[in-house]
């Protein structure tokens, strides 16, 4: 799985320059702009998880759950699940 992620994200998306912070940020913003220009506004949810259930549920036209929005999978949780941060 790690090799597939490295190939798709590291090589194809970031041209093997993922460690180059400026390049990675520029690539991310270029892709975000491409998506915003391609997807009709009514079909695209630009969502910050810090906003919680309300905007997500409104977009999906479903009721807001009676439970707190999940606050898991932070950076540390992510790397633990993958067996540790790459060296």
């Amino acid at each position: 799985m790690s090799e597939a992620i490295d190939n798709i994200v590291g090589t194809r998306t970031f041209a093997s320059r993922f460690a180059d912070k400026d390049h990675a940020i520029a690539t991310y913003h270029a892709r975000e702009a491409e998506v915003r220009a391609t997807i009709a506004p009514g079909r695209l949810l630009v969502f910050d998880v810090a906003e919680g259930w309300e905007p997500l549920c409104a977009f999906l036209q479903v009721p807001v759950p009676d439970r707190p929005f999940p606050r898991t999978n932070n950076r540390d949780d992510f790397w633990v699940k993958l067996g540790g941060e790459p060296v």
Side-chain angles (χ1 to χ4, degrees):
M1 184 65 149
S2 181
E3 284 182 37
I5 291 169
D6 185 51
N7 181 34
I8 293 168
V9 177
T11 304
R12 294 183 190 181
T13 303
F14 293 99
S16 298
R17 293 176 56 196
F18 191 70
D20 178 344
K21 184 176 180 178
D22 292 335
H23 176 74
I25 291 170
T27 299
Y28 172 85
H29 287 299
R31 177 66 177 148
E32 179 185 26
E34 178 184 0
V35 168
R36 287 178 186 250
T38 303
I39 307 298
R43 296 192 64 219
L44 177 66
L45 172 64
V46 178
F47 177 64
D48 180 343
V49 295
E51 297 175 72
W53 288 120
E54 287 75 15
L56 177 61
C57 292
F59 181 80
L60 296 173
Q61 299 177 349
V62 298
V64 174
D66 289 334
R67 60 189 166 155
F69 191 81
R71 305 277 182 212
T72 60
N73 201 24
N74 63 26
R75 177 185 167 94
D76 292 336
D77 294 339
F78 176 82
W79 288 119
V80 166
K81 287 176 187 176
L82 288 180
E85 197 166 347
V87 182

